[in-house]
Amino acid sequence: MSENQTQPSTATAPPDTLAQPDQHDEQGLTIQTDFEHKEDVSEAIGETVFEASKVSVSYSGAPAVRDITLRVPKGEITALIGPSGCGKSTMLRTFNRMNDLIPGCEVEGSITYHGEDIYADDIDPAEVRRRIGMVFQKPNPFALSIYDNVVFGPRLHGMKKDMDDRVEQALRGAALWDEVKDKLNEPGQDLSGGQQQRLCIARAIALEPDVILMDEPCSALDPIATLAIEDLMRELRGDYSIVIVTHNMQQAARVSDRTAFFTVDMEKGVRVGELVEYDLTEKMFTASSDPRTESYITGRFG
């Protein structure tokens, strides 16, 4: 793990290496499923953005997840589901080294991003986070104007050119431009909850990331705002690879291409998260291969 404890940042498209930052120009449950948005999703995973091999994470020596192996495909939405405490968010944070910021956290195993080990000694964690953006559970716009929220990341990384265009493109990408284009200098925190979350997504994509990680991005939103975020995820799919943690089974069924189901195992009296099943979402929700998956999806436990 790196000792470089730098502020998390959003991401940009992947160049050849992560080692040196680029220089820039200035209960019982019926699941309603809808798989029509998936286009030519094959069984086999083609190009991947992440490959995790035998990943285990512990906090101050206490295991959180163990022996997680999975491949995250490029240009798709991958959902991580499972009961509370099974390590979904812990696993999500390993993909952009956010766990580095938690004292006592240790990550074992291998995680590669486009084939490059992101935990290698010469990798800059800030550069990893610059390319792998993250949207959190609760909308967290800065106490700045809408405009300054969007340009915060680019300014942090020395970008100076075409800021107005970058702001417009990011806000359009987050389906927010038409709602805020006449009040860009107003506080971002004055927006509604759903608009704030879309602003956070715009802030994440302002650096043109390759991947967007979303940790329960709709859990604090009302149903209408939730559907707006889900529509946005489907629009972003393909241009970005998205990994989402969600407790909402309907949401996983609606938006994701593939789903990974985690559960909790008791190892010597200690709760440890483990991966049970990982497959196409349609298959997981209609013909899962493990009875624990079916029990969770149908609300028999969790």
Side-chain angles (χ1 to χ4, degrees):
M1 300 292 288
S2 171
E3 296 178 355
N4 191 7
Q5 300 297 303
T6 178
Q7 180 174 353
S9 175
T10 50
T12 190
D16 294 334
T17 179
L18 290 164
Q20 296 296 330
D22 293 342
Q23 296 301 314
H24 297 276
D25 294 333
E26 322 198 11
Q27 11 333 105
L29 187 63
T30 299
I31 304 298
Q32 300 297 322
T33 59
D34 176 8
F35 301 105
E36 293 182 356
H37 70 279
K38 301 176 181 59
E39 300 175 8
D40 299 325
V41 179
S42 62
E43 288 283 351
I45 295 178
E47 184 177 356
T48 62
V49 285
F50 297 115
E51 294 195 27
S53 178
K54 296 185 179 301
V55 172
S56 297
V57 183
S58 61
Y59 298 106
S60 300
V65 296
R66 67 178 177 196
D67 294 333
I68 307 298
T69 295
L70 78 162
R71 300 170 64 207
V72 177
K74 179 179 179 180
E76 294 186 10
I77 300 175
T78 301
L80 310 184
I81 66 172
S84 297
C86 69
K88 305 181 300 295
S89 293
T90 290
M91 190 65 203
L92 187 76
R93 291 193 298 266
T94 65
F95 291 133
N96 71 344
R97 297 190 55 168
M98 285 292 288
N99 285 323
D100 286 22
L101 306 176
I102 302 175
C105 181
E106 295 184 4
V107 178
E108 299 176 350
S110 170
I111 298 179
T112 62
Y113 166 67
H114 292 289
E116 189 166 7
D117 183 359
I118 63 173
Y119 285 88
D121 291 340
D122 62 340
I123 297 300
D124 180 1
E127 182 68 6
V128 172
R129 298 176 199 128
R130 188 168 70 87
R131 302 178 195 177
I132 305 168
M134 192 158 192
V135 177
F136 296 93
Q137 181 174 0
K138 183 178 179 180
N140 61 343
F142 301 139
L144 301 169
S145 69
I146 294 169
Y147 185 99
D148 286 336
N149 263 275
V150 177
V151 300
F152 184 87
R155 284 174 175 168
L156 188 66
H157 290 281
M159 299 178 183
K160 297 180 180 179
K161 288 187 175 181
D162 303 321
M163 281 300 188
D164 290 350
D165 289 341
R166 185 176 294 272
V167 168
E168 180 175 348
Q169 291 170 9
L171 289 170
R172 285 189 183 279
L176 190 58
W177 173 253
D178 289 338
E179 299 170 41
V180 303
K181 62 184 178 182
D182 296 324
K183 50 183 180 181
L184 295 178
N185 293 322
E186 296 183 14
Q189 294 179 341
D190 286 353
L191 297 173
S192 69
Q195 288 176 322
Q196 287 186 21
Q197 193 67 302
R198 281 183 284 151
L199 177 60
C200 292
I201 293 172
R203 190 175 66 197
I205 67 178
L207 282 167
E208 302 174 7
D210 180 41
V211 181
I212 303 175
L213 308 178
M214 297 185 172
D215 193 359
E216 298 189 58
C218 303
S219 63
L221 304 181
D222 61 66
I224 294 176
T226 294
L227 290 176
I229 296 296
E230 290 178 3
D231 287 343
L232 176 57
M233 282 191 278
R234 284 190 283 264
E235 292 175 11
L236 295 174
R237 172 186 175 272
D239 293 330
Y240 306 92
S241 305
I242 298 174
V243 186
I244 177 174
V245 167
T246 180
H247 279 283
N248 187 324
M249 294 303 95
Q250 290 93 339
Q251 182 174 80
R254 286 191 297 261
V255 305
S256 69
D257 301 292
R258 299 176 192 267
T259 298
F261 169 58
F262 290 71
T263 194
V264 176
D265 186 33
M266 296 299 293
E267 182 181 80
K268 298 180 180 179
V270 178
R271 293 167 58 92
V272 182
E274 63 178 6
L275 178 62
V276 174
E277 186 173 353
Y278 178 45
D279 211 327
L280 292 173
T281 297
E282 183 171 9
K283 182 178 177 182
M284 287 272 287
F285 278 79
T286 58
S288 55
S289 60
D290 192 294
R292 292 172 294 177
T293 306
E294 181 181 2
S295 294
Y296 180 75
I297 288 174
T298 57
R300 293 179 189 144
F301 83 94

